[in-house]
């Protein structure tokens, strides 16, 4: 069982930036592809970004491409989501996910509890 704990969320003005971190409990973290998703009130959970365990491939949603960057440090069992040029529409609970690949939440096996990003205009 992999436990994932997100941190780094908060309240930021439009145009600002935040870095989310997701720490994994599992020593084999390095073998898992990782993803970030988000869910705004009243909306379905949507894909944000993903990275393979080798860091050789990344995926981004069109809405965040060029503004968000996913990265990972396998030695620290941690994946990051650097967010830049934040917009009010980026406001959501952001979830870390492991053990899958692609843009569908159903493809991922493990989930964190989520952390809130609120972007004020």
């Amino acid at each position: 069982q992999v436990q994932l704990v997100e941190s780094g969320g908060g309240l930021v003005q439009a145009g600002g930036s935040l870095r989310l971190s997701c720490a994994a409990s599992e020593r084999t973290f390095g073998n898992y592809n990782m993803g970030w998703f988000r869910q705004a009130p009243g909306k379905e959970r949507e894909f944000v970004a993903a990275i393979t365990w080798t860091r050789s491939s990344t995926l981004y949603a069109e809405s965040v491409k060029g503004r968000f960057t996913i990265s990972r440090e396998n030695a620290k069992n941690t994946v990051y989501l650097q967010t830049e040029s934040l917009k009010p529409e980026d406001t959501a609970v952001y979830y870390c996910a492991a053990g899958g690949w692609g843009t569908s939440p159903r493809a991922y096996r493990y989930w964190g509890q989520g952390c809130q990003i609120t972007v004020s205009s």
Side-chain angles (χ1 to χ4, degrees):
Q1 183 74 13
V2 177
Q3 291 183 327
L4 304 172
V5 179
E6 300 97 334
S7 61
L11 173 64
V12 64
Q13 289 187 331
S17 61
L18 285 172
R19 189 175 81 157
L20 302 183
S21 299
C22 172
S25 62
E26 180 66 37
R27 286 187 179 182
T28 58
F29 167 83
N31 294 334
Y32 289 103
N33 298 329
M34 301 294 296
W36 285 97
F37 289 76
R38 66 186 182 187
Q39 189 166 16
K43 295 188 176 181
E44 293 188 351
R45 192 167 298 189
E46 66 172 3
F47 171 77
V48 175
I51 187 168
T52 57
W53 68 277
T54 59
R55 292 169 288 184
S56 62
S57 294
T58 55
L59 293 174
Y60 291 96
E62 284 298 321
S63 59
V64 307
K65 198 173 289 185
R67 299 188 299 121
F68 291 10
T69 303
I70 188 170
S71 62
R72 64 190 296 164
E73 287 188 77
N74 290 343
K76 294 184 177 181
N77 289 356
T78 302
V79 63
Y80 304 98
L81 185 69
Q82 178 68 45
T83 68
E84 307 281 352
S85 302
L86 284 163
K87 306 174 182 179
E89 51 264 42
D90 294 318
T91 295
V93 176
Y94 283 70
Y95 296 91
C96 174
W101 183 246
T103 62
S104 171
R106 291 186 295 274
Y108 291 80
R109 184 174 181 183
Y110 304 106
W111 291 86
Q113 82 289 348
C115 65
Q116 178 75 43
I117 289 182
T118 302
V119 184
S120 62
S121 57

